[in-house]
Amino acid sequence: SFFLIWRRRRRAFSVSLLSGCFSKNASKPPLCSMLRSVAAAVSRRELQSSALQRLIDDMINTMREYQGVGLAAPQVHVSQRLFVAEVQRQNPRYPDKPELDLLVCVNPRLTFLPALEKVSGWEGCLSIAGLRGQVPRATQVQLQGWNRDGQDLNLDLSGFASVVAQHETDHLDGILYLDRMIGLSTLCFDTEYERFWQRSEEPEEVEA
């Protein structure tokens, strides 16, 4: 099934990551090469196809199954510029985060305000199981692209939603949250985060 195949690839990528494939200059094992490549733009004809619409549905189901807040197409081994995002109130991993209605964004483009301050928050990745670290992100962005019907999107996002959009768009350019960290001093396993960090501070937390 789609879920089983993705779960196996996720586990294998996490192992290969710890062997050094998060370095963009390193030799890229097959399982992580997709996450290190720039994804191709989606044409309107492709977007209208039943195959791509099924992919979107599968990505939404996978994101919800793993209680994530976002998923980009390269994370399921499809090199196209597309991501889905959603923050549901009943998501047990994000009970205090503001809700974000289901968002399907095709060919996303982000615009950053030039003088906007960046804020560090905790991020993880559904493709890199068991790790997280602090990443500086812009607190507001403008997101443009298409929705799943090919209609224009033009959204002003702030706070948690802004971070999710930046994280997912990075995936489409072969960038992982590890690349955005200022040093690796906060990179830790989930168990270490829960024991040493979670109780002492409450920054934004994203796993997508």
Side-chain angles (χ1 to χ4, degrees):
S1 70
F2 182 89
F3 290 135
L4 180 59
I5 293 171
W6 188 77
R7 185 182 296 117
R8 289 172 178 169
R9 287 174 173 172
R10 175 178 182 251
R11 185 184 304 116
F13 178 74
S14 297
V15 172
S16 63
L17 172 85
L18 294 177
S19 300
C21 80
F22 63 83
S23 171
K24 297 193 76 172
N25 296 320
S27 176
K28 302 170 185 177
L31 279 170
C32 69
S33 61
M34 184 70 70
L35 290 181
R36 283 313 200 177
S37 302
V38 176
V42 179
S43 69
R44 290 190 183 275
R45 182 175 181 178
E46 288 174 314
L47 183 57
Q48 293 169 357
S49 70
S50 58
L52 198 59
Q53 290 296 319
R54 284 196 303 272
L55 171 66
I56 291 171
D57 289 335
D58 285 339
M59 289 173 60
I60 293 169
N61 290 334
T62 301
M63 173 182 65
R64 291 172 175 171
E65 173 79 8
Y66 283 87
Q67 300 174 353
V69 292
L71 192 68
Q75 292 180 271
V76 293
H77 278 222
V78 177
S79 186
Q80 291 191 291
R81 301 189 72 81
L82 158 70
F83 75 79
V84 299
E86 182 182 48
V87 184
Q88 296 179 316
R89 178 168 294 178
Q90 64 267 33
N91 188 327
R93 297 189 65 253
Y94 304 95
D96 301 321
K97 300 303 181 186
E99 289 186 71
L100 173 65
D101 291 338
L102 178 62
L103 171 64
V104 176
C105 190
V106 182
N107 298 333
R109 303 183 306 279
L110 292 180
T111 302
F112 299 87
L113 300 179
L116 201 63
E117 180 184 6
K118 291 186 177 181
V119 175
S120 290
W122 288 98
E123 294 187 25
C125 184
L126 291 176
S127 296
I128 309 170
L131 291 173
R132 66 188 67 204
Q134 285 195 2
V135 183
R137 297 284 191 186
T139 56
Q140 294 181 357
V141 297
Q142 184 180 65
L143 175 65
Q144 295 174 303
W146 302 336
N147 65 15
R148 71 181 301 169
D149 298 317
Q151 299 172 330
D152 288 340
L153 281 177
N154 193 338
L155 302 174
D156 293 321
L157 303 177
S158 61
F160 192 65
S162 169
V163 173
V164 173
Q166 291 171 74
H167 181 110
E168 299 307 332
T169 303
D170 272 352
H171 272 305
L172 307 181
D173 292 321
I175 298 171
L176 301 176
Y177 76 90
L178 298 164
D179 304 316
R180 298 290 191 190
M181 294 177 64
I182 301 176
L184 298 177
S185 62
T186 62
L187 184 64
C188 59
F189 292 102
D190 286 341
T191 52
E192 296 173 315
Y193 167 76
E194 293 165 1
R195 181 177 179 184
F196 297 110
W197 291 96
Q198 191 172 33
R199 296 179 183 178
S200 61
E201 52 186 294
E202 294 294 335
E204 298 284 17
E205 179 190 355
V206 170
E207 183 154 350

